[in-house]
Structure formats: structure tokens, C-alpha cells
Amino acid sequence: MPGPDEDPCTMMRRTAEDLRKEIKRLRERIARLRNDIAALKQQANPDQAAIAALEQRLAIMEGQLASDELSLSTLEDVISENC
């Protein structure tokens, strides 16, 4: 939580760090999900419905990752220009 005396630059840097951590966690979740999908596809009789559901979830997560990375890039630009 921001302190009452926290200046905007400090707040933006903290927000950027939090976003970096969230991006790292999301990348790790995406990697695990890709591994799960690959493992399912290698089974003798893969559950196509489960694979499709996981692939849909993966697409949503990848979209979120792209959005978060763009937000971080924009925030870092603002920090570098103003702080």
C-alpha cells in the first residue's frame, strides 16, 4: 500500500516491480500449462476435449501476458521520462 508521503515516482516504480513479479508468475504458469498439454497429447488416447480446454486457457493467459508486458513497457517509459 502506498504511504501517505509516497511520491508518484516511487509509486510507479513499486507498481512496475509488482507487475514484473506478476509477469514472471504468469510465464511460469504458461510453461506448466504447455507441459501439461504436451503430456496429454502424448497419451495413447488423448482427451481432445481436455486438450482443447487447456489450449483455450493457454490462449487467454498468453493474451494476458502480452497485455501485462505492454503495460509494463509503457509504465517503464513513463518512469524513465519523468523520474
Side-chain angles (χ1 to χ4, degrees):
M1 296 303 276
D5 298 327
E6 186 175 49
D7 67 272
C9 289
T10 302
M11 181 189 70
M12 287 189 292
R13 286 185 188 105
R14 182 180 40 77
T15 301
E17 184 58 32
D18 291 345
L19 193 48
R20 278 187 211 94
K21 290 175 184 176
E22 180 57 32
I23 287 170
K24 181 180 182 220
R25 284 190 292 267
L26 189 52
R27 284 182 180 150
E28 290 167 353
R29 289 175 53 208
I30 286 171
R32 285 192 303 271
L33 189 53
R34 284 184 180 142
N35 288 338
D36 291 347
I37 291 168
L40 279 175
K41 287 182 175 181
Q42 291 177 351
Q43 291 179 354
N45 293 310
D47 182 344
Q48 296 301 322
I51 291 170
L54 291 177
E55 286 176 336
Q56 182 178 17
R57 183 173 171 209
L58 177 62
I60 291 168
M61 291 170 66
E62 288 174 332
Q64 182 63 49
L65 177 61
S67 176
D68 287 354
E69 288 174 333
L70 179 60
S71 294
L72 178 59
S73 176
T74 301
L75 182 57
E76 288 174 333
D77 288 346
V78 170
I79 291 168
S80 68
E81 291 172 7
N82 297 294
C83 297

